[in-house]
Amino acid sequence: MASSFDAVNSACGDWTPSEVLGSAKLVGVTGEHGAERPGSWEYYDRRAVEGTRTISHALAYWKGLGVQATAADIEAEAAEVRRLIRSMQPSTFVEVGAGPGTFTADLPGSGVALDQSDAVLRVLRSGSASSPVVRGDALRLPIRDRAVARVFAAHIYGLLTEEERGTFVREARRIAEELVVVDAGRPPGVPAEHWQHRTLGGGEIFRVFRRHFDAVALAAEIDGRPRFSGRFYVMVTA
Ligand SMILES: C[S@@+](CC[C@H](N)C(=O)[O-])C[C@H]1O[C@@H](n2cnc3c(N)ncnc32)[C@H](O)[C@@H]1O
């Protein structure tokens, strides 16, 4: 039976998710696992329809945490991270927690963009990235063992609780040889982890778990090595 994602993916060319998917059925994030859907999932799903996140959102985020920063400071680090991503060896990949495609078009090689949110994947497909999209859970990746060379995960590892992150790393290692994590840095004064309250346009408040990283500590945690160690961004390959 055709899923709505057949339509979303129809312009993807020859390389299709069926080459890497573990089963024909996508993980039913709003179906059989719907009861487990965390509030943060709904937050990201709903946020997608509020428009693209920009450097000014990032600046507001850091200022909200009491960090002295300018848009130029953040932009300079984002540009360096993007340069490092583009300079990686081209490979097959699954991008987990791809969101609206912040880094998807920068990933060298060919792969699939995965997210739990229907809305963000539709935004992703309307942008410049040509990757097919798959809706699924990072903790139960609907991907075959050793299906791709690389898992790329930007700003999702830091959303996972201790138990979840172990599961995520095991899943990444099951499907790929390499795991690349990009996430939030930890400027002085910012907590290593805490629950945040996020408000959307309609005034509704969501609770989101968030970590902020020192690149060396993150590398030790996932048995990798730091590639970028900034105030606002870190990048580790494992
Ligand atoms: C902070 S956004 C990051 C988006 C993009 N990668 C970036 O760096 O801007 C986190 C994304 O991860 C997705 N996400 C969170 N938990 C997930 C899970 N368990 N499985 C799949 N996607 C998840 C959310 O829907 C959201 O799109």
Side-chain angles (χ1 to χ4, degrees):
M1 193 171 77
S3 76
S4 64
F5 280 89
D6 294 334
V8 175
N9 285 320
S10 62
C12 288
D14 295 339
W15 201 84
T16 66
S18 62
E19 291 174 29
V20 298
L21 290 178
S23 73
K25 193 160 74 94
L26 299 181
V27 172
V29 285
T30 55
E32 68 258 41
H33 304 305
E36 301 158 33
R37 189 179 162 92
S40 62
W41 285 17
E42 188 179 353
Y43 167 75
Y44 287 109
D45 194 54
R46 300 256 299 272
R47 191 176 83 170
V49 295
E50 292 200 346
T52 316
R53 308 299 285 178
T54 61
I55 285 291
S56 63
H57 289 102
L59 183 60
Y61 176 85
W62 291 114
K63 287 198 160 173
L65 291 173
V67 178
Q68 295 288 325
T70 65
D73 296 335
I74 300 170
E75 255 169 343
E77 286 196 15
E80 180 58 12
V81 168
R82 211 173 281 284
R83 190 193 66 72
L84 284 168
I85 292 168
R86 288 182 180 156
S87 71
M88 294 189 300
Q89 189 73 18
S91 73
T92 53
F93 63 83
V94 174
E95 183 186 11
V96 179
T102 315
F103 296 108
T104 311
D106 298 305
L107 290 168
S110 54
V112 170
L114 179 143
D115 202 284
Q116 59 81 22
S117 161
D118 180 296
V120 297
L121 291 175
R122 284 174 194 282
V123 175
L124 189 157
R125 288 295 300 135
S126 69
S128 59
S130 58
S131 302
V133 298
V134 176
R135 191 176 183 198
D137 184 352
L139 307 185
R140 305 172 233 225
L141 292 169
I143 311 285
R144 294 185 208 286
D145 293 359
R146 292 294 180 195
V148 290
R150 174 180 295 141
V151 165
F152 178 81
H155 298 110
I156 177 171
Y157 186 76
L159 303 180
L160 305 176
T161 61
E162 190 170 357
E163 191 186 338
E164 290 171 335
R165 67 187 83 119
T167 306
F168 169 70
V169 171
R170 278 192 296 281
E171 277 292 86
R173 300 216 183 287
R174 178 181 65 74
I175 69 162
E177 290 149 32
E178 182 185 40
L179 169 62
V180 179
V181 172
V182 169
D183 222 298
R186 188 182 173 202
V190 169
E193 63 177 63
H194 63 166
W195 285 90
Q196 301 178 343
H197 289 99
R198 304 273 186 98
T199 310
L200 289 178
E204 208 172 338
I205 297 170
F206 296 84
R207 284 180 85 229
V208 175
F209 179 71
R210 195 84 194 70
R211 298 175 76 202
H212 301 95
F213 295 99
D214 167 77
V216 173
L218 174 60
E221 184 173 309
I222 62 173
D223 200 15
R225 68 187 179 96
R227 295 294 311 275
F228 182 75
S229 179
R231 289 173 76 209
F232 309 108
Y233 294 87
V234 294
M235 178 168 164
V236 169
T237 54

